[in-house]
């Protein structure tokens, strides 16, 4: 299924050190890893007191529903495309990514993606 890295790494001992063993995981394991990453990211964001939904519909406020699981899904899919599942068919990696994405949204999101100024017009 994910054979991108298998052809570049020839030795099995090197592949096992970096987690790139030629073990393919099934669709059920992939979907389960995505669901675990989404649920863990939302729960950790709620524990960190990130609001569940933004205060205004068109605001740039972060919430536990919108940017947090999106980052978790994106980072997990990067690892899965690189065939790096780590342990337990990717479930441990999904938990780690879910926690890290919630921490990122809580503490680093506005430093990386600043909100636009409210008083300025971009056409002027």
């Amino acid at each position: 299924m994910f054979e991108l890295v298998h052809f570049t790494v020839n030795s099995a001992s090197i592949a096992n050190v970096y987690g790139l063993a030629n073990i393919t995981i099934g669709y059920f394991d992939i979907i389960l890893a995505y669901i675990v990453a989404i649920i863990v990211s939302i729960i950790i964001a709620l524990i960190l007191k990130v609001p569940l939904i933004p205060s205004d519909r068109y605001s740039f406020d972060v919430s536990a529903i919108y940017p947090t699981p999106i980052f978790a899904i994106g980072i997990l899919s990067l690892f899965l495309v690189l065939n790096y599942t780590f342990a337990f068919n990717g479930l441990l990696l999904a938990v780690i990514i879910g926690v890290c994405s919630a921490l990122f949204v809580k503490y680093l999101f506005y430093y990386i993606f600043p909100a636009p100024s409210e008083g300025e017009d971009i056409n002027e």
Side-chain angles (χ1 to χ4, degrees), residues 6 8-23:
H6 174 68
T8 61
V9 179
N10 294 327
S11 174
S13 64
I14 293 173
N16 288 333
V17 169
Y18 296 111
L20 300 173
N22 47 356
I23 298 171

Side-chain angles (χ1 to χ4, degrees), residues 58-80:
Y58 299 107
S59 69
F60 286 94
D61 295 337
V62 295
S63 67
I65 296 295
Y66 174 60
T68 310
I70 305 304
F71 282 120
I73 289 171
I75 295 169
L76 182 63
S77 54
L78 287 175
F79 280 99
L80 289 177

Side-chain angles (χ1 to χ4, degrees), residues 5-119:
V5 183
H6 174 68
F7 296 114
T8 61
V9 179
N10 294 327
S11 174
S13 64
I14 293 173
N16 288 333
V17 169
Y18 296 111
L20 300 173
N22 47 356
I23 298 171
T24 57
I25 59 175
Y27 289 117
F28 178 75
D29 295 327
I30 293 171
I31 292 171
L32 186 64
Y34 280 127
I35 291 171
V36 166
I38 290 169
I39 290 172
V40 167
S41 67
I42 290 173
I43 290 173
I44 297 298
L46 290 175
I47 289 172
L48 293 172
K49 305 236 188 289
V50 176
L52 183 63
I53 55 175
S55 60
D56 186 19
R57 183 174 180 178
Y58 299 107
S59 69
F60 286 94
D61 295 337
V62 295
S63 67
I65 296 295
Y66 174 60
T68 310
I70 305 304
F71 282 120
I73 289 171
I75 295 169
L76 182 63
S77 54
L78 287 175
F79 280 99
L80 289 177
V81 165
L82 292 175
N83 200 13
Y84 187 82
T85 55
F86 189 55
F88 303 112
N89 290 338
L91 291 179
L92 184 61
L93 183 66
V95 170
I96 292 170
I97 289 173
V99 170
C100 290
S101 67
L103 289 171
F104 172 77
V105 167
K106 173 69 177 178
Y107 296 111
L108 296 175
F109 185 80
Y110 288 120
Y111 292 113
I112 306 293
F113 307 108
S117 301
E118 294 181 15

